């Protein structure tokens, strides 16, 4: 592919999520080393990988996703030691966070090493690093021997992909290889934090919660934007990606919060039906709602199930061509806060 969206043949390889076949991993690794694009599973969502040190490969990646050039990429690494080649310095607090949470769904924003091309960090002086836990991601990083820049493997603006099928729908014909290892575990993207000396600022909520980070760091704050405070398109923000339209299916999403959310959702449902609209619903098991377009994502007290199923449910309802999606909110605590962050953004889109 030239990067202008011209079609390439995408090879889809099935791999065992726990014990991937080294020969298949090598096929993907060779493509990465040659500057190609490989979609692969992580524990959070599928990523679309390119050699992080190759400006050309990274430019192809932006084109394949249709991603705005001002939105920097997360660089995935196979060991903590690799951070020293990508970050200009790794402060002691960042090391403590790596020791505690890597491999896993925590991304650290650190001062950029001069060798990282400007394309990868969208011209920023910082670099985002993460060491994923998924055995397939880990094997790919080991075999490739290069750091892998990887945003979520969706077309820009769409919900992140939690299955290989989602990746296929968005990117077949635009990428070289898709490693299919079944659905991902966590379902929402990694927690992104900026580390400045003894201060940790959460730029994007995820399954590594502020409370968990406080076990290692004394000063942890959540950036206003990660708490849902509105950010204008031309405002300079710490995490540029969060200002772009995100997590959204192509139909309107309405989110219901508060004690009377089920009643409010039911009456919105009735009204929409009376207008002749097809209504999709995402709710907890306790909602008691049933219909062909209702997706129940588990009990209220298990936000991890809500997180795991959320993007697949949004995509499925999109495919079912409903006119509007009504969503029951959950308690914005722990992982629930990350889920609600994504839902509020989807509802704004
Ligand atoms: O779980 C994940 O993080 C997945 C998997 C594939 O690892 N990746 C992912 O990447 O969600 P992406 O590109 O969809 O989201 C990356 C986020 C964006 O909001 C981006 O703006 C932010 O990280 N980011 C990247 N580099 C940054 C930097 N230097 N400073 C601040 N934010 C940065
Ligand atoms: Mg993304």
């Amino acid at each position: 592919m030239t990067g202008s969206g011209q079609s390439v043949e995408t090879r889809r390889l099935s791999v065992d999520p726990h014990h991937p076949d080294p020969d298949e991993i090598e096929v993907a690794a060779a493509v990465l080393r040659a500057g190609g694009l490989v979609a692969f599973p992580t524990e959070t969502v599928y990523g679309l990988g390119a050699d992080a040190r190759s400006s050309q490969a990274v430019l192809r990646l932006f084109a394949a996703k249709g991603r705005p050039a001002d939105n920097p990429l997360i660089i995935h690494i196979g060991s903590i030691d690799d951070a020293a080649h990508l970050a200009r310095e790794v402060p002691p607090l960042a090391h403590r966070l790596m020791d505690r949470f890597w491999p896993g769904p925590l991304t650290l924003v650190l001062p950029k090493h001069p060798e990282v091309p400007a394309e990868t960090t969208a011209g920023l002086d910082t670099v985002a690093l993460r060491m994923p836990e998924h055995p397939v991601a880990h094997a790919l990083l080991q075999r490739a021997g290069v750091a892998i820049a990887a945003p979520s493997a969706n077309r820009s603006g769409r919900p992140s992909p939690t299955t290989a099928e989602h990746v296929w729908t968005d990117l077949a014909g635009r990428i070289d290889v898709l490693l299919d290892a079944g659905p991902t575990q966590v379902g929402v993207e990694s927690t992104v934090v900026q580390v400045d000396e003894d201060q940790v600022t959460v730029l994007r909520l995820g399954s590594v919660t502020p409370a968990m980070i406080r076990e290692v760091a004394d000063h942890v704050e959540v950036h206003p934007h990660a708490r849902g405070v509105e950010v204008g398109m031309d405002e300079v923000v710490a995490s540029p990606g969060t200002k772009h339209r995100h997590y959204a299916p192509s139909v309107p999403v309405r989110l219901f919060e508060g004690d009377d959310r089920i009643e409010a959702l039911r009456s919105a449902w009735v009204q929409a039906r009376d207008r002749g609209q097809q209504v999709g619903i995402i709710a907890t098991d306790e909602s008691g709602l049933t219909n062909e377009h209702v997706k129940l994502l588990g009990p209220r007290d298990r936000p991890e199930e809500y997180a795991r199923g959320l993007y697949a449910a949004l995509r499925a309802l999109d495919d079912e061509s409903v006119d509007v999606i009504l969503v029951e909110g959950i308690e914005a605590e722990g992982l629930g806060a990350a889920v609600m962050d994504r839902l509020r953004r989807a509802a704004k889109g």
Side-chain angles (χ1 to χ4, degrees):
M1 187 170 70
T2 61
S4 54
Q6 214 171 300
S7 191
V8 281
E9 194 197 328
T10 303
R11 284 186 72 180
R12 181 170 176 165
L13 304 172
S14 274
V15 292
D16 183 291
H18 306 290
H19 304 285
D21 178 348
D23 291 339
E24 292 189 319
I25 294 296
E26 178 52 34
V27 170
V31 167
L32 280 173
R33 284 192 301 266
L37 303 181
V38 174
F40 62 98
T42 79
E43 64 277 21
T44 57
V45 301
Y46 274 76
L48 177 59
D51 179 349
R53 285 173 192 275
S54 162
S55 305
Q56 272 202 344
V58 165
L59 287 173
R60 275 189 62 195
L61 192 162
F62 274 91
K65 269 190 63 111
R67 183 178 179 101
D70 67 349
N71 192 0
L73 306 179
I74 295 173
I75 301 182
H76 296 64
I77 55 181
S79 80
I80 290 180
D81 293 342
D82 294 343
H85 307 291
L86 300 160
R88 203 164 58 233
E89 57 174 320
V90 181
L93 175 56
H95 256 296
R96 291 212 300 282
L97 290 166
M98 292 170 182
D99 288 340
R100 171 73 176 77
F101 295 109
W102 281 8
L106 179 72
T107 296
L108 300 179
V109 174
L110 298 168
K112 176 179 115 52
H113 195 286
E115 273 179 35
V116 178
E119 286 80 3
T120 304
T121 62
L124 294 182
D125 193 34
T126 53
V127 64
L129 302 180
R130 149 160 144 79
M131 179 176 168
E133 186 170 28
H134 197 293
V136 172
H138 185 75
L140 183 63
L141 283 158
Q142 297 302 322
R143 290 302 292 210
V146 297
I148 303 177
S152 49
N154 49 287
R155 289 298 294 270
S156 193
R158 297 260 292 152
S160 290
T162 54
T163 68
E165 201 51 40
H166 297 161
V167 180
W168 188 258
T169 302
D170 279 15
L171 296 174
R174 309 177 72 88
I175 63 176
D176 301 299
V177 174
L178 164 57
L179 292 175
D180 177 352
T184 60
Q185 279 299 306
V186 179
V188 292
E189 307 82 353
S190 64
T191 305
V192 178
V193 301
Q194 173 128 22
V195 183
D196 305 288
E197 298 192 12
D198 64 346
Q199 173 72 44
V200 178
T201 307
V202 179
L203 304 178
R204 180 173 74 182
L205 295 167
S207 63
V208 174
T209 63
M212 291 160 70
I213 297 168
R214 281 191 190 101
E215 289 171 18
V216 190
D218 293 332
H219 305 285
V220 181
E221 68 173 40
V222 180
H223 190 278
H225 187 64
R227 293 196 307 259
V229 176
E230 201 71 51
V231 171
M233 276 305 268
D234 15 80
E235 231 172 293
V236 181
V237 281
S239 192
T242 52
K243 78 179 177 222
H244 294 290
R245 182 183 152 90
H246 240 138
Y247 320 114
S250 58
V251 286
V253 174
R254 285 189 60 193
L255 177 61
F256 295 84
E257 302 182 56
D259 289 342
D260 63 349
R261 61 191 181 281
I262 298 297
E263 296 81 68
L265 191 154
R266 275 183 189 282
S267 64
W269 186 6
V270 171
Q271 282 168 27
R273 240 179 1 203
D274 289 350
R275 285 194 298 270
Q277 290 189 312
Q278 289 267 35
V279 180
I281 291 176
I282 296 174
T284 64
D285 293 352
E286 289 93 337
S287 67
L289 299 165
T290 50
N291 169 269
E292 59 173 319
H293 300 301
V294 174
K295 313 287 176 197
L296 299 183
L297 297 187
R300 259 171 212 163
D301 61 356
R302 293 187 57 78
E304 61 276 23
E305 289 186 25
Y306 225 82
R308 194 176 299 139
L310 179 63
Y311 290 149
L314 287 170
R315 279 176 177 261
L317 290 171
D318 216 347
D319 293 345
E320 290 166 28
S321 300
V322 297
D323 300 302
V324 60
I325 300 174
L326 310 181
V327 186
E328 177 194 348
I330 59 171
E331 200 195 345
E333 264 303 306
L335 179 57
V339 168
M340 289 303 288
D341 165 62
R342 305 311 192 269
L343 281 173
R344 287 174 187 142
R345 289 174 204 281
K348 252 183 249 166

